[in-house]
Amino acid sequence: MSIEGDSALERRFSAILGDCATEKAHRDLPSVSVTVLEGRAVLAYPGSRLDLGGFLVGLMGAAALPVSDDAVLLGGANEWRGQVANLAINVAMAIQPGVMFFHAGSVSLSGRGAMIVGPKGAGKSTLSLALAARGHQILGDELAAVRVSTGVLLPVPRACSIRPGIRSKLIRRRLEALDAEQETLPDGSIRQRVRLTSLFPGIEFSPVPLHAVIFLRSFAGKPRLERFAPTLEDSTLLQTLGAGLLPPDPLRAFRLLRILTSKPAYHLDVGAPEATSALIERTMEESCH
């Protein structure tokens, strides 16, 4: 991904991408570029030929204008930089070959990958960070990527977007020490955006085999994990990111089901962060014996 012509937009991308941002170009992967001139941006995705029509209307309305099969002109709306950044990142995810992106936390526990799935505010980031505070590798606090052909969980360490609320003691202390800047999102929620390497100095990010999928079910005084056998209907609980930009794919639900049924799946009633992360840790260890 490359950005030209607007330093404020570059800073916005850097803040969102966090440790995903890199100066190294991956020439073998599809690319996205954003070029800004006089407050309007051309978003290009050479050769990808995405279907952005409905997505663009919902995101930016009349402020979006396709200019070719693989480029669109954006701008003229309030907070356009945030909208451009959101669209560009979704496009970048959509065009990566053989990888499915999910709205889920992703962690590695002793080399075994787990996705933590749940709706907004269910505790994905809190639990992912709590597990990292116990010495495990966090791959993404609310973003997970699976290589479909191998079932490998890939690291996508964007900056954490942490909402106010309950968190583990270590995370609370480190956030206080960092004095991270707060930002208000378009929906009115307040977040702290922090790089994972700032919270966990020396952390390394490496792919791991996906071992389990954990669905956050409810909040409880005491955490509880319950294994279950997923069905095709349960695959709708996995929110794929970027897929809406691609042409309709009737096989998508079956690919999701294959991911789900090939790995242990659990319902989780969430308790205190430390107790819940300890339960996940024990369950992952026991499932390998």
Side-chain angles (χ1 to χ4, degrees):
M1 183 180 294
S2 63
I3 304 98
E4 295 182 5
D6 191 282
S7 58
L9 183 60
E10 290 182 30
R11 290 192 296 272
R12 179 74 175 177
F13 270 100
S14 180
I16 294 172
L17 292 175
D19 297 300
C20 287
T22 176
E23 297 295 329
K24 182 180 179 181
H26 296 274
R27 299 185 183 277
D28 57 332
L29 294 178
S31 62
V32 176
S33 67
V34 181
T35 305
V36 179
L37 181 64
E38 297 180 354
R40 296 178 72 83
V42 174
L43 172 63
Y45 33 96
S48 298
R49 297 178 178 272
L50 301 178
D51 180 12
L52 299 185
F55 189 90
L56 288 175
V57 170
L59 180 68
M60 303 186 73
L65 176 67
V67 295
S68 72
D69 287 338
D70 54 16
V72 63
L73 179 66
L74 307 164
N78 293 330
E79 300 296 333
W80 66 271
R81 288 184 180 87
Q83 293 173 327
V84 169
N86 179 39
L87 177 60
I89 290 170
N90 273 276
V91 168
M93 289 189 293
I95 63 180
Q96 300 312 307
V99 178
M100 298 186 77
F101 292 85
F102 300 97
H103 185 212
S106 49
V107 293
S108 170
L109 295 90
S110 303
R112 297 182 290 273
M115 286 203 305
I116 301 174
V117 181
K120 184 177 179 179
K124 297 182 295 296
S125 292
T126 299
L127 285 178
S128 299
L129 292 169
L131 285 162
R134 294 176 66 86
H136 302 290
Q137 183 188 63
I138 182 170
L139 305 178
D141 75 313
E142 56 180 15
L143 185 60
V146 176
R147 190 170 298 284
V148 178
S149 61
T150 61
V152 167
L153 193 59
L154 306 173
V156 277
R158 292 196 310 181
C160 296
S161 183
I162 304 173
R163 67 178 71 240
I166 297 173
R167 54 181 64 100
S168 68
K169 294 177 182 178
L170 176 63
I171 299 301
R172 184 170 63 248
R173 289 199 302 269
R174 291 190 177 177
L175 286 174
E176 291 171 352
L178 288 172
D179 193 25
E181 183 178 348
Q182 291 188 341
E183 64 173 333
T184 302
L185 300 185
D187 63 2
S189 62
I190 298 174
R191 306 288 183 92
Q192 288 177 289
R193 198 178 292 279
V194 185
R195 284 179 177 251
L196 289 173
T197 49
S198 297
L199 280 174
F200 307 103
I203 188 174
E204 297 182 357
F205 305 105
S206 55
V208 293
L210 177 63
H211 180 77
V213 183
I214 299 170
F215 292 88
L216 306 185
R217 183 167 57 185
S218 63
F219 292 99
K222 183 178 180 180
R224 179 170 179 261
L225 265 174
E226 179 182 77
R227 187 164 177 176
F228 74 103
T231 65
L232 185 59
E233 183 178 356
D234 293 311
S235 68
T236 61
L237 300 174
L238 282 173
Q239 299 179 46
T240 52
L241 301 175
L245 306 177
L246 297 169
D249 180 4
L251 297 179
R252 173 177 159 270
F254 290 98
R255 293 192 186 100
L256 291 174
L257 184 61
R258 186 176 67 179
I259 290 172
L260 274 179
T261 55
S262 64
K263 312 297 175 186
Y266 299 88
H267 283 133
L268 172 61
D269 297 324
V270 181
E274 285 91 349
T276 307
S277 55
L279 175 60
I280 294 172
E281 188 179 74
R282 290 195 305 271
T283 302
M284 292 283 284
E285 290 175 353
E286 291 168 359
S287 67
C288 293
H289 299 302

